Amino acid sequence: MKRTLWLLAAGACLYIQAPAQSKKAVKASPAEAAVKAGATNAAKASTAAPANTARIKFTEFDLPNGLHVILHQDNSTPLVAVTMMYHVGSKNEQTTRTGFAHFFEHLLFEGSDNIKRGEYMKIVKGNGGQLNANTSQDRTFYYEVMPSNKLELGLYLESERLLHAKIDQKGVETQREVVKEEKRQRIDNQPYGSIFTEVLKHAYTVSPYQWAPIGSLEHLNAATIDEFRQFYKDFYVPNNAILSIAGDIEPAQAKALVTKYFAEIPKGTKAIYRPTVKEPAQTKEVRDTIYDNITLPAVVQAYHIPAQGTADSYAVEVLQTILAGGESSRMNKEIVDKQQKAVQSAAFPVANEDAGLFLTYSIANQGVNPKDLEAAVNTEIDRVKKDLVTDAELTKVKNQIETNFVSQNARIFGIAENLANYKMYYGDANLINTEIDRYNKVTKEDLRRVANQYLRPENRVVLYYLPKAAEGKDTGKGK
């Protein structure tokens, strides 16, 4: 896929990889980057897990403390994925303390009352495993992929993280510096790196989606140790989590081990904070110019779209794929290859538990006026608003989506994560077997309807990214 705008860490950070001016964008997979940590052999084995298009079987149960557990047995390789998903993301933060959810993604590798500082990763890797975590606006996710005879160790480690993680001043100060460096590398010093942050800031006025998971370093610096501990007490409770295990397990034994390590953890004592504020409908186009350390201008558009899981969200995703989902998509063929007005052009939905965004970006070719580039993008959007896509296009895109859908479940790690996602967001883990039907129900008429309903000028944010050297000059900015 010709897309270098990456949603890294499931939304924790987003950046665009600057293109070589005379070369096409390089294919890249964020999913591959997300699983590189850990021992080489375990990593190779996990990627070698065979794809399985058959129905994915699983069992579910709840502990008395509210922890929901999902088990999937796959004895084809001697590996097990132990994953914990917490229903807390940047949207659960207070407006004066943003960045906490992402900060905890780092902080909870510091250790626990029984695991010395810095030992967590050493233990996993020393036992042939790999581990990582990611944060989005809606949830935080931790995982280990280990040899299956280390299942008990993985459960012990995750129970320690949940029961009594180490939250002290030294760990907080250490991870503050880590987050600062991450922000410098992925946002501040990355060409076009602030696009996600700027889009959210311009697209939302009252919703907690208005800030990115990286949050504010000023907020993190101002926070006290008691505030961090309170955040942990509020959200890191079993009744706000899903433990999803997939791989070479015996379900009865796995259930016994889960009970052994998690049943003693007390349930949270108060209701989980869920923001209820709703973003009002946008009635007027929002337009701005951002000056960045870049050489090629970029045009960014973001349209408000409905929440993930709604009927229209599937039509929007199909539409996105037609517009920019691969080398043969409309925007790539027309704007990049034929007109050569852009070196990169892409569109994708920013899917949220609540209303999200349909985001497009195009990086101008040398000498192309941003106004002309924006006009070319709008032409492609107007086409799908006016004319039905062809049967061949729709069939090709549905096949493409189904291939991606199957490949996500080609590894035990992907199965474990998807089972947890479906349960957390939709209350139905079995969507892992049936969600593709929702895409297949999308019609050509649906695509034209959602294009007209959501891709309207008054429903969008338009940002021109221009080189800092152009600040104060007439650079063809949009009106």
Side-chain angles (χ1 to χ4, degrees):
M1 181 180 292
K2 190 188 294 183
R3 180 195 296 177
T4 52
L5 186 62
W6 289 1
L7 279 173
L8 293 183
C13 302
L14 178 150
Y15 69 86
I16 294 180
Q17 192 171 39
Q21 294 185 15
S22 60
K23 297 180 180 179
K24 290 187 177 181
V26 178
K27 295 180 181 179
S29 169
E32 291 295 327
V35 294
K36 286 183 178 178
T40 302
N41 290 339
K44 288 182 178 179
S46 71
T47 58
N52 186 1
T53 58
R55 185 178 182 84
I56 294 173
K57 297 179 180 180
F58 59 92
T59 58
E60 300 176 89
F61 64 94
D62 291 298
L63 293 180
N65 59 14
L67 179 67
H68 189 77
V69 184
I70 307 175
L71 305 176
H72 166 70
Q73 183 179 11
D74 178 355
N75 303 120
S76 60
T77 57
L79 291 171
V80 63
V82 178
T83 74
M84 283 288 285
M85 185 175 291
Y86 294 89
H87 202 173
V88 54
S90 59
K91 79 168 186 300
N92 301 92
E93 299 161 350
Q94 300 301 315
T95 56
T96 59
R97 288 295 182 266
T98 63
F100 267 46
H102 171 253
F103 187 76
F104 266 78
E105 175 202 319
H106 292 269
L107 185 63
L108 293 195
F109 285 101
E110 279 288 306
S112 72
D113 290 353
N114 297 309
I115 301 173
K116 294 180 180 179
R117 192 183 310 279
E119 290 296 312
Y120 199 104
M121 292 187 181
K122 291 180 182 179
I123 291 171
V124 174
K125 293 181 180 181
N127 283 277
Q130 56 179 320
L131 74 167
N132 216 324
N134 54 61
T135 312
S136 78
Q137 293 174 289
D138 296 313
R139 54 81 155 156
T140 308
F141 183 64
Y142 303 85
Y143 72 86
E144 296 88 26
V145 178
M146 307 181 74
S148 54
N149 63 352
K150 301 297 180 180
L151 169 62
E152 186 168 5
L153 173 61
L155 293 173
Y156 165 74
L157 292 171
E158 286 301 334
S159 68
E160 281 291 298
R161 199 198 308 266
L162 176 57
L163 181 58
H164 38 218
K166 189 185 296 293
I167 302 175
D168 56 19
Q169 201 64 50
K170 182 175 181 179
V172 167
E173 294 303 329
T174 298
Q175 296 308 322
R176 275 180 176 144
E177 294 306 312
V178 171
V179 172
K180 288 178 184 177
E181 182 60 23
E182 179 180 342
K183 185 173 184 293
R184 283 192 290 266
Q185 289 186 4
R186 294 184 172 181
I187 298 177
D188 298 342
N189 297 326
Q190 183 69 35
Y192 316 99
S194 65
I195 281 182
F196 191 48
T197 301
E198 291 292 342
V199 163
L200 296 179
K201 184 167 63 177
H202 286 80
Y204 296 103
T205 59
V206 298
S207 167
Y209 286 138
Q210 66 187 273
W211 59 84
I214 194 73
S216 165
L217 298 184
E218 289 74 18
H219 292 173
L220 293 178
N221 286 334
T224 66
I225 191 68
D226 287 340
E227 288 177 297
F228 288 116
R229 288 171 177 162
Q230 190 61 54
F231 189 88
Y232 178 72
K233 291 178 182 178
D234 289 346
F235 295 105
Y236 281 82
V237 291
N239 47 303
N240 194 44
I242 294 175
L243 171 62
S244 182
I245 304 168
D248 185 24
I249 63 172
E250 294 298 330
Q253 178 195 32
K255 183 175 182 179
L257 289 173
V258 168
T259 302
K260 174 182 177 180
Y261 286 102
F262 289 90
E264 67 175 322
I265 302 175
K267 185 176 183 177
T269 58
K270 63 180 184 179
I272 306 298
Y273 168 65
R274 307 282 183 219
T276 58
V277 60
K278 299 294 183 182
E279 184 69 24
Q282 184 174 317
T283 59
K284 183 180 179 181
E285 181 183 75
V286 175
R287 186 175 285 265
D288 202 356
T289 301
I290 310 298
Y291 294 95
D292 197 8
N293 289 317
I294 55 177
T295 57
L296 296 176
V299 176
V300 181
Q301 296 182 345
Y303 298 84
H304 292 273
I305 59 173
Q308 62 182 9
T310 58
D312 279 359
S313 71
Y314 294 97
V316 168
E317 188 171 344
V318 173
L319 182 63
Q320 166 263 316
T321 309
I322 286 175
L323 281 171
E327 298 289 335
S328 61
S329 64
R330 290 189 175 192
M331 289 174 67
N332 278 297
K333 288 174 64 177
E334 184 66 26
I335 301 174
V336 177
D337 295 337
K338 183 178 178 180
Q339 299 181 27
Q340 297 187 359
K341 290 183 177 179
V343 293
Q344 295 179 26
S345 192
F348 61 93
V350 178
N352 288 332
E353 193 170 20
D354 203 345
L357 297 170
F358 182 106
L359 192 154
T360 77
Y361 79 93
S362 297
I363 300 178
N365 215 334
Q366 190 71 39
V368 173
N369 189 302
K371 279 187 176 181
D372 295 334
L373 178 56
E374 182 185 3
V377 172
N378 289 338
T379 295
E380 295 309 306
I381 291 176
D382 288 342
R383 283 179 60 201
V384 294
K385 293 167 70 173
K386 179 182 178 182
D387 302 320
L388 293 174
V389 303
T390 65
D391 290 331
E393 273 186 302
L394 185 58
T395 299
K396 181 195 73 171
V397 165
K398 286 185 177 180
N399 289 338
Q400 185 177 336
I401 289 174
E402 185 166 4
T403 298
N404 292 337
F405 189 81
V406 171
S407 68
Q408 289 175 9
N409 297 321
R411 309 177 191 178
I412 55 172
F413 163 73
I415 292 174
E417 182 178 20
N418 283 336
L419 284 169
N421 269 327
Y422 286 127
K423 182 63 179 181
M424 181 167 288
Y425 290 134
Y426 309 113
D428 182 9
N430 194 51
L431 278 171
I432 198 169
N433 292 308
T434 63
E435 193 190 29
I436 192 63
D437 297 335
R438 300 187 181 189
Y439 291 101
N440 287 332
K441 289 179 181 178
V442 173
T443 67
K444 296 183 294 182
E445 290 75 17
D446 289 331
L447 298 181
R448 183 166 64 181
R449 176 182 57 79
V450 297
N452 281 280
Q453 184 171 348
Y454 301 110
L455 305 188
R456 296 174 287 107
E458 64 271 22
N459 189 44
R460 74 184 177 194
V461 171
V462 180
L463 300 179
Y464 276 30
Y465 263 70
L466 301 178
K468 283 188 175 179
E471 192 166 3
K473 300 179 182 179
D474 182 4
T475 54
K477 294 184 287 184
K479 295 181 179 179

